[in-house]
Amino acid sequence: MDSIRKNKSSYQNQKELEVFASCFEQAVKEGTYLNGEELTFQMFAQLWFEQYATYHLRTTTKNAYQYIIQNYLIPAFGNYKLVKLQPLSIQIFYNKLQKVKRKDGKQGSLSSSSIKKIHSVLSSMLSIAVQWQLIESNPCRRIASPKHKRLNKVKYFTLEQIQIFLDLL
């Protein structure tokens, strides 16, 4: 299968994906396919979304996953062949995410809980790739998931509390 290319129209890419999905589905039913070496992560993500997420996830979950896939996973791994996705490349990606600026316009970098959500989506997708026999094992399972760091929020006195404090002194 030709890879999805930017110089093709979206209609051509969609048609190519539909043909691939149809052949893929037939081959899976017959138990004759499963060659993740041809599939890029981006093509797999589209296939996963159409064949799995659409049928198994609630709308809000599906929308959240789609945001993560489009904004974080495709830019990082889109051109990787699915079978070439290794634990080290995922670990490097997580380390870089700790320095990435937020995409929602707020100051700071991504929180550890956001990175953990991205990890969860990627791991979930790759678990389906294993079930579909596109890859032999999930590389996310061979690295430690990002740790959730709790931020200690600094608490301040209100003006009333300051006055009471000063009065007590």
Side-chain angles (χ1 to χ4, degrees), residues 104-116:
D104 62 3
K106 295 180 183 175
Q107 278 192 320
S109 59
L110 289 174
S111 68
S112 57
S113 64
S114 293
I115 296 170
K116 199 161 180 73

Side-chain angles (χ1 to χ4, degrees), residues 98-159:
Q98 293 177 6
K99 298 171 187 157
V100 168
K101 292 193 181 232
R102 296 170 57 126
K103 295 190 186 284
D104 62 3
K106 295 180 183 175
Q107 278 192 320
S109 59
L110 289 174
S111 68
S112 57
S113 64
S114 293
I115 296 170
K116 199 161 180 73
K117 287 176 190 170
I118 293 168
H119 168 76
S120 177
V121 172
L122 180 60
S123 183
S124 174
M125 290 175 70
L126 294 176
S127 290
I128 296 301
V130 171
Q131 288 178 8
W132 289 350
Q133 297 177 348
L134 296 171
I135 56 177
E136 289 194 26
S137 66
N138 182 345
C140 288
R141 294 183 189 248
R142 290 179 278 171
I143 58 173
S145 68
K147 297 290 180 202
H148 181 71
K149 296 177 188 171
R150 293 183 183 243
L151 298 176
N152 292 332
K153 291 190 176 184
V154 179
K155 295 183 180 179
Y156 299 97
F157 287 113
T158 65
L159 289 176

Side-chain angles (χ1 to χ4, degrees), residues 23-54:
C23 292
F24 171 77
E25 187 174 0
Q26 184 63 33
V28 168
K29 287 178 182 175
E30 295 171 358
T32 58
Y33 182 74
L34 301 178
N35 184 2
E37 294 173 12
E38 297 293 320
L39 219 50
T40 64
F41 180 81
Q42 181 173 359
M43 293 182 333
F44 168 71
Q46 289 177 306
L47 190 62
W48 175 86
F49 200 82
E50 291 174 1
Q51 300 299 319
Y52 180 80
T54 301

Side-chain angles (χ1 to χ4, degrees), residues 156-166:
Y156 299 97
F157 287 113
T158 65
L159 289 176
E160 292 172 349
Q161 291 171 329
I162 291 172
Q163 188 59 50
I164 293 169
F165 180 75
L166 291 175

